[in-house]
Amino acid sequence: MLDVLVIGGGNAALCAAIAARRDGASVKVLEAASKFYRGGNTRHTRNMRCAHDHATATLTGPYTEAEFFDDLLLVTQGQTDEALARQMIAESKSMLDWIAEQGVRFQPSLGGTLSLGRTNSFFLGGGRAMLNALYRTAEALGVEIEYEAEVVGLDVENGMFLAARLADGREIRAGTLIAASGGFEANIEWLKESWGAAADNFLIRGSPHNRGTVLKLLLDKGVEPVGDPTQCHAVAIDARAPKFDGGIITRLDCVVFGIVVNKHCQRFYDEGEDVWPKRYAIWGRLVAAQPDQIAYILFDARSLELFMPSLYPPIQAPTVAELARKLDLDAQALTRTVEQFNEAVQPGTFDHTQLDDCRTEGLTPPKSHWARRIETAPFYAYPVRPGITFTYLGTRVDADARMRMADGKPAANMFAAGEIMAGNILGRGYAAGIGMTIGSVFGRIAGQRAAKHARN
Amino acid sequence: MHATEAHHTSALAEADRLMTVCNSCRYCEGLCAVFPAMEMRRAFADGDLNYLANLCHGCGACLYDCQFAPPHEFQVNVPSNLAVVRNDSYRHYAWPRALAPVFDRNGLWIALLAVLCVTGFVLGFVATQDPAALGNSGDFYRLMPHRAMVLLFGAAFAYAILALTMSLRAFWRDSGEPASSWSDLWQAMRDAGSLRYLDGGGVGCMNEDERPTDRRRLYHHLTFYGFLLCFAATCVATLYHYLLGREAPYAWTDLPVLLGTAGGIGLVIGPAGLLAAKWKRDPALRDTSRTGMDVAFLVMLFLTSLTGLALLLLRGTPALGPLLALHLGIVLALFATLPYGKFVHGLYRFAALVRYAQERKRF
């Protein structure tokens, strides 16, 4: 009988498969997507956050375990499983070398990236290049890989995995199961269970295959859930992006340079609260809370070239009123909002590289930094919607990446890695590259433990 | 921020679209020079795109690394588009303009000219020479006097240099500011000489599929350095002739023959390997409409060295006459078509590398 069955085909799944195979287990990977779309959201990633004691050829300085943990506490506001998080961070140190041994190459941080050169390791060629290397290695080791192999049923008895049923009717039995099949962000109906109709206006940044089928099956079989179903990694992306799989190129890094208004032309949050790398991950939720889940970033000619270009050109007009008409907004209301903002702007020295002294006075909400009058034509706008990267509701796991059952007992032979268990680490919030760390570290642990279990 | 000007061709318009996508992604930045050069711009005029297209070495890595490659709806295929733009640019910068259409059916034109040249030499030999001269003396100057050879090939070569210079000038002016420095030239020589950007950023190139199993870099080195060695052999022989008064044919162990033999061997294996690689190349990576041009240049190089080596081996036999006509005909056709075939890729790519070295210092 097959030792290890891995469901999923992304970073976590492949790390698990490779680790299990290297430890002598027979391994099969079931990827629901076709070969091109293999790898789920890993295809869209570009880096991973790993602790390291020294600068390397591609990292500009040390990033200690303590600092990593502090960053995690900050973004999650303490909502993390501390023991698991510390374990992950400790193991992340050896991950860089391990990943490189699987054929993945790193490079210095990309131009225009969010000042991640010290903390995050970038994959040469991006996430798909990383996946290609992992697949090559897995295939060379003798891992069996099936594409378009969607799992639609699980045979589980009292926390004991027996077999998986595929959409084509086949049944695959195995000694252990590793679930690394992602979250459920592409399942709009599921999102609506907790978000309501608002979820219809969400854009899904990654794979349309992450429908949470396996997650739901596991939870139905008595695996203990972890995380809040409304929590996810969400950013504000261009509203013109495709419903699924638009990836990185629809993101907009210009919030700090202008103002953001909702469909009633009202501002709703401090656009200059902090540097963008520390704030980009909150704007998805902020826009999700606005009527019709839409907002507009407004700025003027002076800011046009201060941020990374993105896929769609900004909407442009010679006056704010004309811009409002192009956006189908109330011209008077938008003009009034811009005027009020402009009047509140205090004199200061603009410096987009640091927290400068350009701020508003007497405005609610305020803009704390980089507040400059919006007055130089032409005027520009980007419409934005919530772009869901991945969800946090998942399966609870222990230090062995072994799933825990709702009755508190460990599952007999079921492990989980990656997005499907990210909620153990991320109760809320996000820090760039941490999804890949969760995938690689718990993927390797799951693979090793599953292989050991299968041997015994 | 996004180019709105009209482009000269639909391939250039597509290149503009692709560069806009790539510039908002940048994952491929570490693969080669094209993407860092792209990042220095926010809008892409035709001259910029021709520059980027010639900076691209066609390693193929960015297609297999791209999360937006077909079948994704964004349809990002940079290598195949830049191959088309690059090939179009050869036609666009051709001098004189009247000869630009030679690029349209390049394989046919070059084949015709080669046949014409070979026929010319055969007829010339038959018409002007004593049949006894076709004997086994190994002295090809009895078949065609050195002076005549120098005049004919010198003229063809001089014309090629002129046409290439004019084309290169147009390309250079189109791609940015005129100035450049010795250090940029030196950097470009190192980058071109090592084919630094034909290796997928260190992983290797892709040719047949997403596995980096490509050997084109090796074959190109054999071709390029083989060509240089053959050129060096000719130069040394010319010096022998005019400075030392030593006339060909030279012995096997003499420098021109050693250089020519080594170069010739490289120039047989290299083009053959490149042709085989081209045959196996993933159609998704190619400009399939211009196969004739690529094949014509490789075949001409291959035949040049093959007939040259055959001449060396058989120069003492009655085959000398026919072989010499064949060899000289092919070399003449090769020289005459240097400005109107795949040879120009080397010049434009070198110029693009100089431009890149220059830009990289500024940013």
Side-chain angles (χ1 to χ4, degrees):
Chain A
M1 188 173 62
L2 183 69
D3 292 332
V4 178
L5 181 66
V6 180
I7 304 178
N11 166 47
L14 270 285
C15 286
I18 289 169
R21 185 77 193 109
R22 286 200 187 280
D23 281 0
S26 59
V27 183
K28 187 197 267 286
V29 170
L30 299 177
E31 164 58 287
S34 62
K35 188 174 177 190
F36 173 81
Y37 285 102
R38 72 186 179 188
N41 287 336
T42 302
R43 227 176 82 246
H44 289 294
T45 65
R46 58 184 180 184
N47 62 61
M48 62 195 293
R49 182 181 290 255
C50 292
H52 46 276
D53 293 329
H54 308 282
T56 69
T58 55
L59 290 160
T60 57
Y63 185 51
T64 62
E65 288 182 49
E67 189 184 354
F68 191 159
F69 187 70
D70 286 345
D71 285 345
L72 183 64
L73 278 186
L74 207 66
V75 296
T76 58
Q77 299 174 13
Q79 291 185 39
T80 183
D81 180 327
E82 181 170 343
L84 263 190
R86 286 193 184 278
Q87 181 197 358
M88 177 189 84
I89 290 168
E91 291 218 12
S92 79
K93 278 173 122 170
S94 63
M95 215 58 224
L96 288 177
D97 286 339
W98 191 83
I99 283 284
E101 281 160 21
Q102 315 316 319
V104 176
R105 294 200 173 217
F106 292 105
Q107 64 164 75
S109 74
L110 298 174
T113 51
L114 316 168
S115 31
L116 299 168
R118 181 173 64 88
T119 54
N120 288 41
S121 296
F122 282 71
F123 311 125
L124 178 67
R128 191 170 165 224
M130 186 233 198
L131 276 173
N132 289 346
L134 292 181
Y135 272 90
R136 275 200 301 274
T137 300
E139 280 167 2
L141 288 169
V143 171
E144 200 187 330
I145 293 155
E146 283 194 38
Y147 298 108
E148 298 174 54
E150 190 191 353
V151 171
V152 295
L154 289 178
D155 204 351
V156 176
E157 269 176 26
N158 299 323
M160 172 88 163
F161 168 78
L162 300 172
R165 261 195 321 285
L166 272 61
D168 62 14
R170 279 183 299 153
E171 200 178 81
I172 298 176
R173 307 181 75 78
T176 56
L177 170 73
I178 298 174
S181 48
F184 63 96
E185 63 278 358
N187 188 336
I188 306 292
E189 292 309 309
W190 192 344
L191 289 175
K192 280 164 104 169
E193 284 176 21
S194 39
W195 282 97
D200 275 329
N201 289 324
F202 292 174
L203 299 172
I204 312 308
R205 303 181 71 202
S207 170
H209 294 279
N210 284 16
R211 301 184 43 78
T213 312
V214 174
L215 172 61
K216 183 148 262 174
L217 289 168
L218 288 167
L219 297 181
D220 287 349
K221 296 289 181 186
V223 174
E224 184 185 342
V226 65
D228 172 347
T230 72
Q231 288 296 338
C232 54
H233 172 23
V235 300
I237 63 169
D238 199 307
R240 296 164 289 184
K243 184 75 180 170
F244 295 102
D245 217 49
I248 188 89
I249 61 181
T250 59
R251 67 144 166 12
L252 293 163
D253 295 339
C254 53
V255 165
V256 294
F257 298 111
I259 60 171
V260 184
V261 299
N262 61 19
K263 65 176 276 196
H264 301 308
C265 303
Q266 299 302 310
R267 289 174 61 249
F268 51 88
Y269 198 83
D270 182 348
E271 298 90 350
E273 190 175 47
D274 204 340
V275 291
W276 187 236
K278 292 191 177 171
R279 282 296 172 270
Y280 79 99
I282 70 169
W283 279 87
R285 297 185 76 79
L286 289 172
V287 176
Q290 297 305 308
D292 292 346
Q293 295 69 51
I294 185 128
Y296 304 88
I297 309 171
L298 261 60
F299 56 93
D300 71 6
R302 289 183 296 174
S303 301
L304 183 64
E305 299 202 346
L306 295 180
F307 53 92
M308 276 269 293
S310 76
L311 180 62
Y312 302 101
I315 293 158
Q316 176 184 341
T319 64
V320 172
E322 181 60 28
L323 189 62
R325 276 187 284 277
K326 284 191 171 177
L327 299 170
D328 274 334
L329 296 176
D330 183 329
Q332 279 189 342
L334 189 64
T335 306
R336 200 164 49 245
T337 297
V338 170
E339 280 169 3
Q340 283 170 354
F341 171 76
N342 285 348
E343 283 162 19
V345 169
Q346 301 301 302
T349 310
F350 179 79
D351 182 354
H352 71 277
T353 61
Q354 56 171 341
L355 294 170
D356 70 4
D357 61 350
C358 293
R359 56 183 185 82
T360 59
E361 185 75 53
L363 192 68
T364 311
K367 185 175 178 188
S368 310
H369 304 282
W370 312 294
R372 287 196 296 182
R373 296 167 65 90
I374 298 173
E375 58 185 4
T376 310
F379 299 93
Y380 296 96
Y382 284 107
V384 289
R385 286 199 183 279
I388 313 301
T389 312
F390 68 88
T391 49
Y392 293 173
L393 172 72
T395 60
R396 190 175 287 282
V397 298
D398 64 16
D400 288 334
R402 191 185 291 264
M403 293 181 213
R404 201 160 81 185
M405 304 307 289
D407 60 12
K409 290 185 191 137
N413 61 348
M414 299 197 293
F415 302 82
E419 202 182 316
I420 197 170
M421 47 65 68
N424 290 274
I425 304 294
L426 295 166
R428 61 179 300 164
Y430 191 69
I434 219 167
M436 293 298 278
T437 316
I438 295 171
S440 292
V441 169
F442 288 101
R444 184 174 63 170
I445 295 172
Q448 288 167 345
R449 301 300 187 278
K452 190 176 167 197
H453 180 96
R455 272 201 310 272
N456 294 337
Chain B
M1 93 190 289
H2 296 265
T4 48
E5 75 233 66
H7 289 287
H8 193 65
T9 64
S10 59
L12 285 162
E14 170 68 357
D16 187 354
R17 182 189 78 88
L18 291 176
M19 289 299 102
T20 304
V21 173
C22 295
N23 211 8
S24 35
C25 172
R26 304 188 173 183
Y27 285 17
C28 290
E29 182 185 284
L31 296 181
C32 68
V34 172
F35 300 100
M38 167 197 77
E39 288 179 23
M40 297 173 197
R41 295 160 168 75
R42 287 179 90 102
F44 302 92
D46 284 357
D48 298 318
L49 294 167
N50 285 332
Y51 155 58
L52 293 175
N54 280 286
L55 196 53
C56 168
H57 289 45
C59 83
C62 66
L63 176 67
Y64 301 106
D65 289 356
C66 180
Q67 67 271 38
F68 303 120
H72 191 282
E73 64 184 279
F74 291 158
Q75 296 281 319
V76 175
N77 184 339
V78 173
S80 105
N81 168 258
L82 291 191
V84 174
V85 172
R86 189 161 60 238
N87 288 337
D88 286 345
S89 76
Y90 304 159
R91 187 191 198 284
H92 180 73
Y93 295 114
W95 184 92
R97 298 289 309 143
L99 287 177
V102 175
F103 279 102
D104 293 337
R105 307 198 66 188
N106 196 251
L108 181 69
W109 281 110
I110 287 180
L112 280 176
L113 191 71
V115 169
L116 201 68
C117 288
V118 171
T119 313
F121 277 103
V122 169
L123 292 179
F125 286 1
V126 169
T128 61
Q129 299 296 327
D130 175 3
L134 297 169
N136 50 13
S137 65
D139 181 2
F140 29 79
Y141 293 141
R142 284 185 63 190
L143 283 164
M144 184 173 187
H146 183 261
R147 205 179 157 71
M149 238 187 243
V150 168
L151 271 176
L152 183 61
F153 284 88
F157 195 61
Y159 173 77
I161 299 275
L162 171 70
L164 290 168
T165 307
M166 298 303 286
S167 296
L168 191 59
R169 211 169 70 137
F171 172 80
W172 183 253
R173 287 183 168 176
D174 227 10
S175 71
E177 296 155 26
S180 192
S181 70
W182 290 110
S183 69
D184 299 336
L185 274 176
W186 173 235
Q187 181 64 47
M189 281 169 75
R190 287 190 301 172
D191 294 344
S194 62
L195 292 177
R196 177 173 172 186
Y197 299 112
L198 192 64
D199 84 4
V203 180
C205 293
M206 281 71 166
N207 192 46
E208 289 117 86
D209 53 34
E210 84 275 5
R211 286 168 302 157
T213 53
D214 188 37
R215 314 291 297 165
R216 282 176 304 150
R217 193 182 192 184
L218 170 70
Y219 292 130
H220 193 286
H221 280 324
L222 287 170
T223 306
F224 176 66
Y225 290 104
F227 186 86
L228 284 190
L229 284 173
C230 290
F231 190 69
T234 310
C235 292
V236 171
T238 305
L239 293 178
Y240 272 21
H241 189 94
Y242 288 109
L243 284 183
L244 308 177
R246 286 180 56 191
E247 292 196 7
Y250 302 111
W252 283 87
T253 51
D254 224 335
L255 191 57
V257 181
L258 287 176
L259 289 171
T261 308
I265 291 170
L267 210 43
V268 164
I269 302 171
L274 288 172
L275 263 175
K278 192 161 289 297
W279 203 261
K280 289 185 287 185
R281 191 159 173 81
D282 184 344
L285 290 169
R286 296 177 50 193
D287 170 10
T288 43
S289 66
R290 247 70 69 100
T291 309
M293 175 179 70
D294 299 352
V295 171
F297 184 53
L298 288 171
V299 167
M300 290 298 282
L301 289 175
F302 179 79
L303 288 179
T304 298
S305 47
L306 191 71
T307 54
L309 289 174
L311 206 52
L312 179 66
L313 286 171
L314 304 173
R315 63 186 175 182
T317 76
L320 173 71
L323 271 178
L324 188 64
L326 193 60
H327 183 65
L328 292 181
I330 288 182
V331 174
L332 185 63
L334 179 71
F335 275 19
T337 58
L338 285 182
Y340 310 108
K342 183 63 184 271
F343 175 80
V344 297
H345 84 280
L347 283 189
Y348 296 139
R349 183 154 299 140
F350 182 75
L353 286 167
V354 176
R355 172 71 71 213
Y356 179 61
Q358 180 191 23
E359 286 186 340
R360 209 167 41 165
K361 275 193 311 206
R362 246 185 309 133
F363 279 82

